[in-house]
Amino acid sequence: MASGKLLITLKQFVNVFHDEETCKLHLKKIREQHGIICKKCGYDRHYWLESKEQWQCSACDFRTSLRSGTIMEGAKLPIRMWYIGMVCNVYARTVITVTELQTRLGHNRYQSIWSMMCKVRTVKDLDAEYGLFDLIKYDKEHLEIIVRERNGVV
């Protein structure tokens, strides 16, 4: 994490990224900052189709989804779950197992969470790719907030 950036606790992170829509808007912003390149023609000018949640190439009309070109491409897990998985991977790697994360997220399928965490671990610089960690300072006691928030208790 670069110095001079705002650091917040995991609890605050969960409050900022409190629902799927917030996570989608954040991912859209980060993707646009990095630039969208058309997979079909290589053009770099796109416009956002709100109803489809996709960018459309201004040159060839090819559409690019929000997840396309990210570790989330082709996955069915909600983006918010990916965000929480990324946070837990970076700040609790020695503390949380895939089984524990699966339980904490209340997800039924081990394979989905395992696959997500394998992909997350392949990204060398999650902050550069997804812009999440300049906001976070890991705080173990706040890890439980994920469970309570997921179950509607917070």
Side-chain angles (χ1 to χ4, degrees):
M1 283 180 273
S3 60
K5 292 188 179 184
L6 176 66
L7 297 176
I8 63 175
T9 64
L10 184 56
K11 179 179 180 179
Q12 291 168 321
F13 172 85
V14 173
N15 288 335
V16 168
F17 295 104
H18 60 280
D19 63 10
E20 183 69 6
E21 190 59 32
T22 303
C23 295
K24 284 180 181 180
L25 290 173
H26 177 264
L27 182 59
K28 178 181 177 280
K29 177 183 165 191
I30 295 298
R31 297 276 325 268
E32 288 173 345
Q33 286 174 355
H34 286 255
I36 309 299
I37 306 295
C38 181
K39 286 183 179 179
K40 186 175 179 184
C41 72
Y43 197 61
D44 65 351
R45 302 231 189 257
H46 292 74
Y47 54 92
W48 181 249
L49 299 171
E50 190 70 40
S51 63
K52 302 280 187 192
E53 294 185 335
Q54 295 178 332
W55 289 277
Q56 186 160 318
C57 178
S58 297
C60 72
D61 293 332
F62 183 79
R63 292 185 182 169
T64 301
S65 73
L66 195 56
R67 297 172 185 236
S68 179
T70 72
I71 59 173
M72 297 174 259
E73 186 171 353
K76 294 180 182 175
L77 288 174
I79 293 170
R80 186 165 187 269
M81 239 186 234
W82 280 90
Y83 274 27
I84 292 169
M86 288 182 218
V87 170
C88 290
N89 184 64
V90 170
Y91 292 100
R93 182 173 281 177
T94 60
V95 176
I96 193 164
T97 65
V98 173
T99 304
E100 185 178 2
L101 182 59
Q102 174 195 3
T103 302
R104 288 177 181 262
L105 291 172
H107 197 275
N108 295 332
R109 298 194 62 233
Y110 175 88
Q111 182 65 33
S112 299
I113 303 301
W114 178 82
S115 178
M116 174 184 72
M117 293 310 288
C118 286
K119 289 179 182 179
V120 164
R121 290 174 181 150
T122 65
V123 179
K124 296 206 186 311
D125 189 353
L126 284 165
D127 187 35
E129 289 290 319
Y130 298 98
L132 298 175
F133 305 109
D134 56 345
L135 300 173
I136 307 162
K137 183 173 114 184
Y138 178 65
D139 184 347
K140 278 186 193 177
E141 66 193 47
H142 293 301
L143 195 57
E144 195 61 35
I145 194 74
I146 295 169
V147 179
R148 294 195 311 267
E149 210 267 343
R150 172 90 172 144
N151 294 327
V153 178
V154 172

